[in-house]
Amino acid sequence: MSDEIARSHVLEVATRLFGQLGYDGTSLQLISDVLGVGSAVVAEVAGDKRALYQEVMRQAFEAEREMLEAAVSRSDSARSAVHEIVDSYLDFHVANPQNRALWAHRWVADAADFSTMEDQYARPLILLAARRIKDAVPPDVNTYYLLGTMVWCVHGFLGSGILDRSQGMKDPAQPEVVESFRAHLHVLMDRLLAPWHPAPDDSDPLTRLSAPPSE
């Protein structure tokens, strides 16, 4: 292969390797070997391993930000925005498994010396979604936790699938399985958005008088 190589190709290979092996498990030499060029060529075209990782994560963030901004703009209310965000987030990560893989490595302490990436790339996305849906969230529900529940569920589902009712596992790569999970997410979010009503206080004599008789 010629020493001339496109920066986009270097980043594509780096993204795949960082997603498969993590930052700590990927060397610049490995990236170079896969590309079939010397490490000096890779460094000249796209920077060292640290610079490559920073650019890979930035591009992953930009793709997710574009998806989320589009979802928010399509919604006509805070309540409908919740379903738009859920659907778009699920579809994005089904279509872009490398993004999920990059973050999955970070969640097990990969690239620990990049300590600000969550603030750089995760926080703006959560804030964007939280600002749009906050008017639909009951006062006893934490908006960040609600969005976190969506994130945890989607990544957990795509990473492991789910037990079939009878035997074995349902494959999260199958469209019908994704759709059944989507329906579950909608129900889950709707339950979290339901207004909170405190249970009757049985110590209040007026409550006891107005309560229906037990069977």
Side-chain angles (χ1 to χ4, degrees):
M1 179 183 289
S2 168
D3 278 355
E4 294 182 3
I5 189 167
R7 183 172 183 269
S8 60
H9 187 35
V10 175
L11 289 168
E12 178 186 345
V13 169
T15 300
R16 176 162 53 86
L17 291 175
F18 288 144
Q20 291 174 347
L21 305 174
Y23 175 80
D24 296 335
T26 303
S27 66
L28 188 64
Q29 185 61 56
L30 178 58
I31 295 171
S32 304
D33 289 346
V34 172
L35 289 164
V37 299
S39 57
V41 174
V42 172
E44 182 179 353
V45 171
D48 61 11
K49 173 183 164 180
R50 187 178 183 88
L52 273 170
Y53 183 70
Q54 289 173 315
E55 180 60 15
V56 163
M57 294 302 293
R58 187 195 69 78
Q59 289 189 2
F61 160 73
E62 290 295 341
E64 200 160 339
R65 179 183 60 78
E66 289 178 10
M67 169 274 296
L68 196 55
E69 287 180 344
V72 165
S73 67
R74 285 193 300 270
S75 59
D76 56 12
S77 68
R79 184 75 180 229
S80 67
V82 175
H83 282 203
E84 285 284 357
I85 290 168
V86 164
D87 287 342
S88 297
Y89 191 82
L90 175 60
D91 290 339
F92 177 84
H93 283 286
V94 168
N96 298 277
Q98 72 278 2
N99 276 49
R100 184 183 64 80
L102 289 167
W103 282 107
H105 281 292
R106 288 198 61 78
W107 295 334
V108 290
D110 182 58
D113 52 327
F114 291 87
S115 60
T116 64
M117 284 208 165
E118 281 67 26
D119 285 329
Q120 284 180 278
Y121 298 142
R123 186 179 300 278
L125 299 177
I126 291 293
L127 286 173
L128 174 63
R131 291 190 183 108
R132 185 65 184 94
I133 71 170
K134 62 182 177 63
D135 291 341
V137 180
D140 62 317
V141 175
N142 184 303
T143 304
Y144 277 24
Y145 280 151
L146 183 145
L147 291 168
T149 299
M150 174 194 73
V151 171
W152 303 327
C153 286
V154 167
H155 286 271
F157 167 74
L158 294 178
S160 65
I162 191 166
L163 283 170
D164 201 338
R165 186 182 296 272
S166 56
Q167 184 177 3
M169 299 290 292
K170 290 184 176 181
D171 182 358
Q174 297 299 317
E176 64 273 16
V177 178
V178 172
E179 291 311 306
S180 67
F181 177 68
R182 186 194 309 278
H184 168 74
L185 274 183
H186 282 206
V187 172
L188 177 62
M189 292 297 110
D190 286 343
R191 295 293 189 272
L192 288 171
L193 295 176
W196 176 68
H197 299 292
D201 182 359
D202 288 342
S203 66
D204 184 345
L206 293 178
T207 300
R208 291 201 303 271
L209 287 172
S210 60
S214 58
E215 296 182 359

